[in-house]
Amino acid sequence: KQRALSPEQNQLIDSLQVFAFQPEESFYSYSFDERLRLLEERILLAKRYLAKKEGGNTSKQSPSFWAKSKLEAFKNTLSGSGVKQAEQPPRAIFVAPEYLFKNLSEFCYKRYCTQEQKNQFKKRLQALSVDTDMLIVPGTMCWYKKGADQENYYRNTAYFFYRGDLQKYKKRNPHTNYDFDYANEGFLNLMDLRRVYFKSGQLDTPVKNYFGLKIGIEICFDSVQGELVDFIKTNNLSID
């Protein structure tokens, strides 16, 4: 059943600006720090474009202004004084591919980011989101941390940043060839008990609501399994 949209909702969807970051293949062999730097640059460019489109004074600021703005937002996030979610839906969205933060030049578990790198990624992207009405969904991060049993557990996670607010969604259905590559073999068959070391997001909602703008997410193999469609039907929801 299709949901009837109000004129305001139609206008919001029609005017939503989408920025897609599609890096070259070499990007996936760069160091974590270099990839994060390049991602931040692209997000700042998108923010600058939005400011210019609005016609505000910030559109004519120098690169040093944007560096200072980024630093100030980062300080606000650290101190807890940053702006939280504005009570209005995003007017733009920044997206990137799956595995954006997975080092494909490495092998096995070395492809995955550490928990410390994941936290650094979250802190810096959260800072960039504080002063913009752009929802930032920068692909997925593949990372690991030790569990209580001292074994490494692996995740493929998408993060959502909006006005300092942070939400997440972990891939529910790992791909045999691409999400179990933490094993020495590079893949695991269906009966291999080491599959348990992949932490899926069965409890993460695939529908995010940003003040009336409902956005659904599936990561790769989730779509084959119909995760989003099933969730919407089961919970009698709709998305924009």
Side-chain angles (χ1 to χ4, degrees), residues 6-61:
S6 67
E8 292 79 11
Q9 288 172 315
N10 277 319
Q11 183 179 5
L12 171 65
I13 296 170
D14 290 342
S15 63
L16 188 70
Q17 182 79 45
V18 178
F19 298 92
F21 176 38
Q22 184 64 58
E24 297 180 353
E25 186 176 350
S26 58
F27 176 92
Y28 296 93
S29 62
Y30 293 163
S31 69
F32 169 82
D33 290 335
E34 179 65 8
R35 276 181 286 167
L36 184 54
R37 183 189 67 80
L38 291 171
L39 174 62
E40 287 177 314
E41 285 184 356
R42 291 306 181 101
I43 293 172
L44 285 170
L45 283 173
K47 290 172 65 174
R48 189 169 188 171
Y49 175 86
L50 287 175
K52 185 176 182 180
K53 192 174 182 181
E54 273 194 342
N57 292 332
T58 53
S59 63
K60 298 181 181 179
Q61 297 291 350

Side-chain angles (χ1 to χ4, degrees), residues 36 40 43 47 70 73-74 76-78 80 82-84 119-132 136 138 159-167:
L36 184 54
E40 287 177 314
I43 293 172
K47 290 172 65 174
K70 174 182 166 185
F74 183 58
N76 287 338
T77 302
L78 288 177
V83 179
K84 295 304 179 184
N119 289 338
Q120 181 183 358
F121 166 88
K122 287 168 55 179
K123 186 175 293 184
R124 286 168 62 171
L125 271 292
Q126 191 173 13
L128 284 176
S129 75
V130 167
D131 61 347
T132 179
I136 302 172
Y159 292 98
F160 297 71
F161 304 89
Y162 185 58
R163 284 287 182 179
D165 176 74
L166 171 62
Q167 298 188 46

Side-chain angles (χ1 to χ4, degrees), residues 60-129:
K60 298 181 181 179
Q61 297 291 350
S62 65
S64 63
F65 169 86
W66 292 98
K68 292 177 182 177
S69 176
K70 174 182 166 185
L71 178 61
E72 188 63 30
F74 183 58
K75 289 179 179 178
N76 287 338
T77 302
L78 288 177
S79 66
S81 61
V83 179
K84 295 304 179 184
Q85 276 204 55
E87 292 187 3
Q88 60 185 29
R91 63 188 183 92
I93 181 171
F94 181 100
V95 295
E98 184 184 13
Y99 304 124
L100 193 71
F101 281 83
K102 187 174 191 177
N103 193 336
L104 300 183
S105 68
E106 294 286 355
F107 296 96
C108 305
Y109 70 92
K110 290 184 178 180
R111 288 185 164 193
Y112 290 75
C113 296
T114 65
Q115 186 177 10
E116 291 75 17
Q117 289 173 325
K118 181 264 297 184
N119 289 338
Q120 181 183 358
F121 166 88
K122 287 168 55 179
K123 186 175 293 184
R124 286 168 62 171
L125 271 292
Q126 191 173 13
L128 284 176
S129 75

Side-chain angles (χ1 to χ4, degrees), residues 214-232:
K214 297 184 180 68
I215 296 176
I217 180 173
E218 290 175 317
I219 302 177
C220 190
F221 210 53
D222 290 346
S223 179
V224 177
Q225 301 300 320
E227 289 289 354
L228 184 57
V229 171
D230 289 345
F231 184 86
I232 289 173

